[in-house]
Amino acid sequence: MNAGLNHCTMPRHVALIMDGNGRWAAKRKLPRLEGHRAGAEALRAIVQECPKLDVRYLTVFAFSTENWRRDPAEVNELMALMRDYADSEINQLQENGVRVEFIGDLSRLDNGVAAQLETITRETRSGDRLRLTVAVNYGARAEITAALRHLAARIDKGDLDPDDINESVMQTHLMTADLPDPDLIIRTSGELRLSNFLLWQSAYSEFEFVDTLWPDFTPEVLRDILIRYPNRSRRFGANGK
Ligand code: IPE
Ligand code: IPE
Ligand code: MG
């Protein structure tokens, strides 16, 4: 048996719920912000690793619609971190052929943050080695609700017949309309839940839950998970082989 990486059966689209920054910091008696900073470093290394593993799409959960419930000071720090990270990473992302896009409602973000996220999207548009989608102020229920509102408005205008709504029409109204569904969703820090991430898109995703806290999630941890991935049998409801 070849125990090495089998590129034919690697997941094309990996999604990551990057959880555990706060606990990582608490273990070191550091402020939570230091955990988020270390988490941003961890993401940099993972983004560089993905093209080497034939992962073409990487989608990461950075801030949920529910994360506004946190202490406002932490929310502000997270926003500033995202803005500075986007600013400092542009060159490296361009050099590595990474195209960056965002899903989520960016209209609630501060102008400076939203502008910087738009800049990184524009400046990395031609990247063709990895499509990195960052979920910011993203919630799957909000996404599905917005899709329904859009469809209802089209029906109201006489633009769409309700009988013509099917799964692919729904899919084209989601924020991930031009992305394939994630093959593999990884959540760090030992939590066994989706926390409102990609509810529609994860219908047939494979899952991996690891105890590693996000700042400790290295390319080696990712490789170990991907090496085991080809052992899975994805049946999509059909007979097993
Ligand atoms: C993930 O780490 C980052 C965000 C949700 C923004 P957490 O901040 O949730 O870390 P824990 O879960 O408190 O350890
Ligand atoms: C999920 O983590 C959201 C992100 C990783 C951005 P949370 O830490 O917010 O999730 P819960 O609250 O533990 O479910
Ligand atoms: Mg958490």
Side-chain angles (χ1 to χ4, degrees):
M1 264 286 283
N2 177 10
L5 290 172
N6 179 347
H7 286 272
C8 302
T9 48
M10 280 292 129
R12 223 164 46 114
H13 184 175
V14 172
L16 288 167
I17 303 175
M18 309 184 289
D19 199 10
N21 295 350
R23 278 163 282 170
W24 184 93
K27 262 178 40 183
R28 289 162 178 76
K29 300 197 166 32
L30 293 170
R32 290 179 64 85
L33 173 63
E34 292 307 320
H36 296 313
R37 282 215 177 104
E41 294 297 322
L43 179 59
R44 175 182 296 130
I46 295 301
V47 167
Q48 287 188 359
E49 187 70 10
C50 278
K52 298 179 199 159
L53 298 172
D54 277 358
V55 172
R56 307 289 300 181
Y57 301 86
L58 178 69
T59 299
V60 300
F61 206 2
F63 192 89
S64 77
T65 47
E66 289 73 34
N67 286 148
W68 297 106
R69 293 177 186 156
R70 293 187 179 200
D71 183 345
E74 180 176 350
V75 170
N76 287 338
E77 285 170 352
L78 274 166
M79 292 296 154
L81 182 65
M82 277 191 272
R83 186 193 57 219
D84 297 346
Y85 184 76
D87 187 32
S88 65
E89 290 305 289
I90 286 185
N91 289 344
Q92 204 237 155
L93 291 164
Q94 284 172 330
E95 277 165 28
N96 288 314
V98 182
R99 174 174 165 187
V100 185
E101 281 159 328
F102 295 87
I103 53 171
D105 179 6
L106 302 190
S107 71
R108 202 177 151 185
L109 309 184
D110 277 359
N111 287 343
V113 178
Q116 192 55 42
L117 302 190
E118 277 156 25
T119 302
I120 196 167
T121 298
R122 199 173 51 245
E123 300 281 322
T124 61
R125 220 172 16 202
S126 56
D128 60 2
R129 293 190 72 212
L130 177 71
R131 250 175 100 166
L132 171 64
T133 303
V134 186
V136 178
N137 191 19
Y138 171 87
R141 287 183 172 180
E143 174 187 45
I144 293 168
T145 306
L148 291 176
R149 197 181 300 118
H150 193 190
L151 290 169
R154 285 185 54 196
I155 292 169
D156 199 38
K157 275 202 299 187
D159 211 33
L160 180 71
D161 185 332
D163 288 341
D164 291 335
I165 298 179
N166 55 31
E167 291 180 14
S168 53
V169 169
M170 266 302 289
Q171 202 263 334
T172 59
H173 285 74
L174 297 176
M175 293 165 178
T176 53
D178 55 350
L179 295 176
D181 286 341
D183 298 298
L184 176 67
I185 298 182
I186 304 169
R187 183 168 186 149
T188 59
S189 87
E191 307 297 348
L192 307 179
R193 55 179 172 266
L194 276 175
S195 301
N196 203 9
F197 189 48
L198 302 178
L199 298 183
W200 173 282
Q201 300 86 340
S202 61
Y204 269 103
S205 300
E206 299 292 320
F207 287 89
E208 185 84 28
F209 297 98
V210 293
D211 288 335
T212 314
L213 301 173
W214 174 252
D216 293 328
F217 192 91
T218 57
E220 288 66 40
V221 180
L222 178 63
R223 289 181 87 91
D224 283 349
I225 292 171
L226 295 195
I227 280 171
R228 285 186 278 110
Y229 178 86
N231 297 334
R232 294 167 185 251
S233 166
R234 299 187 74 190
R235 290 187 281 276
F236 299 98
N239 294 334
K241 287 211 188 86

